[in-house]
Amino acid sequence: MTTRKPLARLKGGNNEGVVVLVLLVVVVLMTVANPEFLSFSNLFSIVRSSLVPTVLALGVLMVIISGGIDVSFTAIAIFAAYSTVTWVGPGGAGAVVLLVLACVVGAALGLVNGLVISTLRLPTLIVTLGTSTMFKGVLIAYIGAQYIADLPEAMARLGNANVLSIPSGGEVANLHVFVIPVAALCVLVWWVLSHTMWGRSLYAYGGDPEAARRAGFPVVRAQIILYTAVGVLAAVGGLMHVTLSRNANPQDLVGSELDIIAAVVLGGASIFGGRGSVLGTVLGVFLIQIIQNSLILVGIPSVWQRAAVGAILLLGVGVQALSAKRTSRKVFAYADEEVVAA
Amino acid sequence: MSSEPSAATAPVLEARHIVKTYGGVTALDDVTFEARAGHVHCLAGENGCGKSTLIKIISGVERPDSGSIVIDGEEYGHLTPAEAIRAGVQVIYQDFSLFPNLSVAENIVLTAQVADRKRLFSAGSTRPRAQAIVDELGLDIDLDARVESLSVANRQLTAICRALISDAKVIFMDEPTTALTRTEVSSLFALVERLRERNVALVFVTHKLEEALQVSQDLTILRSGSLVVTGPASDFDRRSVTKHMTGRDVIESRHLNDYDATAAPRLSVEGLTLSGAFRDVSFEVRPGEILGVTGLLGSGRSEIVESLFGIYPAGSGTVRVDGRQVRLHSITDAIDAGFGYVPSDRLTEGLCLDKSIADNTISASLDRHRRWGIFTDRGKVASTIDRFFTALRIKAPDVSAPVRSLSGGNAQRVVLAKWLANDPRVLMLNGPTVGVDVGSKEEILDILRAQATRGMSIVVVSDDVPELVSVCHRVLVVRRGRVTHEIAGDDVTAPAIESGLAA
């Protein structure tokens, strides 16, 4: 016991330590293969490409902890962001107004998920698969199918705002200002998950729904709040995505939900529910982004990136299933010597 | 009832004239129940008598149609689960309702915080509060371990700590001893004494009569939703309790079927060894013979039959069925060799709960119901299902009822039907009557005798000594992975088996 404990702590409650290790190995390998990898400009660009996935992943994390799975968050993200851009138009309206508008739209769509899932107790995957298609259809049919290049003034300005600029090898490496709100969101979600009863109720519900009900957790309310919150996070993510890509395309994001789910699962969240952490999720997002980035750097065609993400997801889930099988393996009562001695 | 000292203390919980019906079926008919501080009250009755409905009403999970609940002088028409917990009612369910993914400390503390309608979770105070209650009860549990890694006994202790931290005035324990070994049961009873000193009222809901009578001061028996009798436990003995529960006398004696003791063995096991579980196990069973295998939990008694059924293939040893050596590397091998196995945890291992009685009955014997090896012979399937439904007297509206809706005794009959439909040469059963009421138990044992008379060999793994005495021709006692005693013929008595277990 005593020899195992420090190692177990290093490994982390959700195998975060293992993800860190894999991350380090990938970084070392990539640096050896291409020293450009460790340049500021490449690192900052990895961070930039991780911003939106991180925000979306935080929502997915909460759903997975509660034992559910959500595939509609990308549809909500683009719905909220695109409709906000369409309604506001290229003119004024400050960043706060845009954010509030998008969040209201995201919350409303998330609420639809929450109401259907909590009151009808339907499988979350089926419900969100349905609402996802529905949201996308409504977006294209009623709000717009046009690619919008003229973003509202505030967003256009934010798209180029950097918090840190470092000259690196002839060019300037820029760290986007969104790292600050994204980091704040991570801290907020971590705090909510570990220090509020609502956060603990997600873990409890994911661990054993019936026990959570018997313990008096308001499970219906908790689920409605959960999916609404995921809708809000998706809206924030969508708005960031539109801002960073400097255009609003209603066809964006939808289709990338697997990358996000893969990152969360890779970060140690159990697909069976009840387990997962913000730290692991952030590490998972980075790992996926670095692997995708590396594949480009070493010149592997982008079609293979999809295959790589799929393989990573299967790997992550496979490892979980194997370790679940190992812990459930029968432990016999006696060590062999004891039986012999008896 | 009587002027025992128990009447001196006022009841801390009263359920008055509770009536509950489910769609025309009366689950509880004007039942009144009291629990007193510092007393253990045993609530007994056969499956389906209304015990669980009564617990659900008192704990706020179900609403009564009429009647009221008084806790500490406060009267409620009905409660919500959170209200019941705040009022001091705690239920320790048979499955404990713990969160397997959370630590022991958090499991102990979390529900109390839910009941207090806390919004924030104080992670920092979790461990000290849990530690305090664990120390107070003098327990030894790793508070940082995840509950999923604990033994059954430690999970139960965690559930008890969780109940106490919410200042429970009344603790209901649903079948608290079912999954425990004898030593664990005695330490549980020692803990119960300490809880009584803290003036907690305890309610044991149980089938196990001796244990119930051993620890409780008060006894209430329900039958078919009605109160049959209530009074001090000292006024009852095993026989009178059984009579009140079933409404008839149950004879506890040895009642064996005849078999040919000189016939060639059906099953012969030689030197069977599974590393870490059991070693050098040899025995024979003849056609028509019922062999008992007993031992403490963890002695290896279950692993022997599980190994024969191919679940944990043995490392070495030979097994012969009707003289022919068989290979048992998988469950398929075992079924092909003519084995049938009724597992101890029939709910998770033996049945598809949401499927009908009919589907479950036929699930192990599909190959026997085919025409030309391909098509399912519907006529044959229907006749098999009907035959067992009638023969085993399964109590259900019809064969399409889902198994989930059945009581423990009836669910066990469905598992039996499933294996009998496959007509095994050797039927092995693990705890065949655990969680089954007294009436059904006798009938299940009768079914076993009838099958043995037809020539089937039967192996019964059980820790229910009267059951072994009642039905087995021979009993093997397993201790620390070895067969230490073989008791046969007229020597099979309760004292002989118990001394074998204790030796």
Side-chain angles (χ1 to χ4, degrees):
Chain A
M1 280 298 269
T2 43
T3 49
R4 265 186 56 200
K5 272 212 165 156
L7 237 171
R9 190 164 302 161
L10 216 61
K11 201 175 145 210
N14 301 293
N15 292 334
E16 290 91 346
V18 179
V19 185
V20 171
L21 202 69
V22 175
L23 207 56
L24 285 177
V25 169
V26 173
V27 167
V28 168
L29 284 178
M30 280 315 298
T31 315
V32 171
N34 187 348
E36 268 298 287
F37 180 81
L38 266 189
S39 69
F40 276 112
S41 73
N42 190 46
L43 289 183
F44 284 0
S45 97
I46 289 173
V47 170
R48 184 184 169 104
S49 63
S50 304
L51 291 172
V52 174
T54 303
V55 175
L56 296 177
L58 289 174
V60 173
L61 170 69
M62 294 197 286
V63 174
I64 286 185
I65 287 173
S66 79
I69 190 102
D70 184 346
V71 293
S72 69
F73 62 95
T74 50
I76 295 179
I78 201 64
F79 191 114
Y82 186 82
S83 54
T84 302
V85 169
T86 311
W87 293 332
V88 168
V96 177
V97 176
L98 290 166
L99 183 64
V100 170
L101 193 56
C103 286
V104 168
V105 174
L109 299 183
L111 185 63
V112 173
N113 279 338
L115 286 174
V116 176
I117 288 168
S118 65
T119 55
L120 300 182
R121 289 207 204 162
L122 291 172
T124 53
L125 175 65
I126 303 300
V127 171
T128 55
L129 208 54
T131 54
S132 171
T133 315
M134 194 175 84
F135 296 157
K136 197 174 173 207
V138 170
L139 174 67
I140 306 284
Y142 292 101
I143 297 174
Q146 297 291 318
Y147 168 95
I148 300 174
D150 276 345
L151 293 184
E153 172 88 43
M155 284 172 85
R157 243 184 303 118
L158 264 177
N160 291 318
N162 297 313
V163 66
L164 190 64
S165 299
I166 298 173
S168 104
E171 49 183 326
V172 178
N174 292 316
L175 187 60
H176 198 268
V177 69
F178 279 167
V179 289
I180 296 168
V182 170
L185 275 176
C186 288
V187 173
L188 178 71
V189 171
W190 165 80
W191 181 82
V192 166
L193 282 177
S194 56
H195 284 79
T196 66
M197 286 306 284
W198 178 75
R200 298 321 287 171
S201 80
L202 297 185
Y203 282 94
Y205 191 80
D208 186 341
E210 186 55 37
R213 220 167 272 129
R214 284 176 183 165
F217 279 110
V219 292
V220 170
R221 198 176 72 200
Q223 277 197 318
I224 292 176
I225 296 174
L226 167 65
Y227 287 94
T228 309
V230 171
V232 172
L233 275 170
V236 173
L239 213 52
M240 285 187 175
H241 170 79
V242 168
T243 309
L244 289 172
S245 47
R246 301 190 189 112
N247 65 64
N249 181 352
Q251 308 289 351
D252 264 7
L253 287 176
V254 177
S256 71
E257 46 285 321
L258 202 62
D259 299 19
I260 314 289
I261 293 168
V264 174
V265 170
L266 204 60
S270 166
I271 206 80
F272 309 113
R275 201 162 286 187
S277 70
V278 171
L279 177 65
T281 297
V282 172
L283 291 170
V285 170
F286 271 123
L287 190 53
I288 294 258
Q289 292 302 326
I290 287 178
I291 289 170
Q292 291 194 336
N293 180 283
S294 313
L295 295 178
I296 298 168
L297 280 189
V298 294
I300 291 168
S302 65
V303 282
W304 283 105
Q305 290 177 29
R306 305 299 308 148
V309 170
I312 289 168
L313 178 65
L314 285 181
L315 188 77
V317 177
V319 167
Q320 282 179 14
L322 280 181
S323 75
K325 202 171 164 187
R326 198 170 49 216
T327 50
S328 72
R329 182 185 294 167
K330 177 113 181 168
V331 178
F332 291 119
Y334 306 108
D336 208 19
E337 318 77 72
E338 276 186 287
V339 177
V340 178
Chain B
M1 275 279 116
S2 72
S3 54
E4 287 289 313
S6 65
T9 43
V12 57
L13 169 102
E14 276 180 275
R16 291 178 183 161
H17 307 291
I18 302 288
V19 177
K20 175 75 187 175
T21 56
Y22 293 101
V25 182
T26 309
L28 287 175
D29 184 12
D30 193 27
V31 170
T32 295
F33 176 80
E34 293 179 353
R36 289 165 205 282
H39 280 230
V40 179
H41 194 139
C42 174
L43 179 60
E46 297 194 284
N47 281 315
C49 70
K51 293 173 299 190
S52 10
T53 311
L54 185 60
I55 299 182
K56 282 182 186 160
I57 287 172
I58 294 173
S59 63
V61 178
E62 296 271 0
R63 273 179 90 130
D65 297 345
S66 67
S68 63
I69 298 151
V70 183
I71 305 167
D72 246 4
E74 185 114 4
E75 185 163 346
Y76 303 83
H78 68 92
L79 296 146
T80 65
E83 276 173 352
I85 292 170
R86 270 196 296 280
V89 176
Q90 285 280 336
V91 180
I92 298 174
Y93 291 93
Q94 215 173 334
D95 62 7
F96 308 134
S97 275
L98 296 167
F99 302 112
N101 53 325
L102 302 180
S103 72
V104 171
E106 187 168 355
N107 264 286
I108 291 176
V109 171
L110 198 58
T111 30
Q113 299 203 2
V114 178
D116 291 344
R117 296 214 185 98
K118 286 259 179 16
R119 296 212 166 270
L120 297 185
F121 173 68
S122 46
S125 70
T126 300
R127 216 177 172 289
R129 284 186 66 195
Q131 186 73 57
I133 199 89
V134 166
D135 289 348
E136 194 180 329
L137 294 175
L139 305 175
D140 180 26
I141 321 181
D142 179 3
L143 287 173
D144 299 318
R146 278 190 177 144
V147 163
E148 63 197 350
S149 68
L150 296 185
S151 69
V152 174
N154 278 340
R155 284 180 204 203
Q156 185 177 53
L157 293 178
T158 307
I160 293 174
C161 290
R162 174 170 81 173
L164 290 177
I165 208 150
S166 317
D167 284 324
K169 298 190 183 90
V170 186
I171 301 179
F172 283 82
M173 297 177 88
D174 193 1
E175 299 288 351
T177 56
T178 303
L180 302 185
T181 64
R182 285 186 175 76
T183 18
E184 286 168 346
V185 168
S186 38
S187 54
L188 172 70
F189 287 171
L191 181 60
V192 163
E193 283 304 308
R194 264 176 279 157
L195 296 180
R196 285 183 57 206
E197 285 160 23
R198 290 172 55 125
N199 252 355
V200 173
L202 288 127
V203 182
F204 269 35
V205 181
T206 186
H207 296 108
K208 292 200 175 176
L209 307 174
E210 286 98 346
E211 287 172 2
L213 292 173
Q214 182 190 336
V215 286
S216 42
Q217 286 75 48
D218 304 314
L219 179 72
T220 293
I221 297 174
L222 298 181
R223 190 169 74 227
S224 312
S226 306
L227 181 78
V228 179
V229 67
T230 181
S234 51
D235 291 0
F236 298 87
D237 60 20
R238 189 187 160 86
R239 191 168 291 273
S240 64
V241 172
T242 308
K243 194 172 176 198
H244 284 303
M245 276 169 65
T246 58
R248 58 191 156 87
D249 280 307
V250 173
I251 311 135
E252 275 183 15
S253 63
R254 213 153 142 65
H255 172 53
L256 304 178
N257 62 291
D258 292 324
Y259 78 104
D260 180 5
T262 58
R266 164 65 50 77
L267 167 68
S268 85
V269 175
E270 244 182 78
L272 201 69
T273 299
L274 174 58
S275 178
F278 54 83
R279 193 168 182 84
D280 207 9
V281 171
S282 303
F283 61 89
E284 289 180 341
V285 192
R286 281 166 224 289
E289 187 182 21
I290 303 181
L291 174 75
V293 177
T294 189
L296 301 180
L297 210 69
S299 60
R301 58 163 203 229
S302 304
E303 286 81 355
I304 293 173
V305 286
E306 285 170 350
S307 175
L308 288 175
F309 197 57
I311 303 172
Y312 309 115
S316 64
T318 57
V319 178
R320 285 192 177 77
V321 176
D322 285 330
R324 204 168 52 85
Q325 187 167 338
V326 290
R327 197 183 80 126
L328 300 170
H329 287 183
S330 68
I331 294 178
T332 318
D333 286 349
I335 292 175
D336 290 345
F339 287 97
Y341 179 53
V342 177
S344 54
D345 189 351
R346 60 181 166 268
L347 296 185
T348 61
E349 294 172 14
L351 290 167
C352 299
L353 293 176
D354 293 316
K355 292 286 178 190
S356 65
I357 295 172
D359 287 350
N360 271 287
T361 302
I362 215 72
S363 62
S365 54
L366 276 174
D367 285 342
R368 287 178 178 266
H369 296 88
R370 289 200 208 283
R371 223 178 327 183
W372 309 316
I374 309 168
F375 304 108
T376 307
D377 184 338
R378 283 170 184 271
K380 206 171 161 192
V381 165
S383 80
T384 303
I385 291 167
D386 272 350
R387 185 154 55 90
F388 287 107
F389 188 68
T390 320
L392 303 191
R393 287 194 275 159
I394 297 166
K395 285 186 206 78
D398 60 80
V399 296
S400 65
V403 172
R404 193 180 286 287
S405 67
L406 301 182
S407 70
N410 283 307
Q412 184 70 317
R413 288 171 210 222
V414 177
V415 191
L416 265 174
K418 168 179 153 184
W419 286 109
L420 293 178
N422 206 20
D423 202 16
R425 286 191 268 191
V426 182
L427 180 64
M428 306 183 289
L429 305 98
N430 198 345
T433 60
V434 169
V436 168
D437 57 74
V438 182
S440 293
K441 182 170 165 176
E442 278 305 311
E443 288 182 22
I444 287 173
L445 296 184
D446 272 339
I447 294 166
L448 297 185
R449 290 182 190 109
Q451 293 298 326
T453 310
R454 285 182 53 242
M456 195 178 282
S457 296
I458 297 180
V459 179
V460 176
V461 176
S462 176
D463 64 353
D464 183 335
V465 173
E467 169 178 303
L468 292 168
V469 172
S470 166
V471 77
C472 295
H473 298 101
R474 257 187 318 138
V475 174
L476 305 179
V477 181
V478 183
R479 203 164 159 268
R480 301 197 121 209
R482 281 172 183 270
V483 175
T484 51
H485 296 74
E486 181 179 336
I487 308 165
D490 289 340
D491 294 337
V492 179
T493 59
I497 296 173
E498 271 153 13
S499 76
L501 285 168

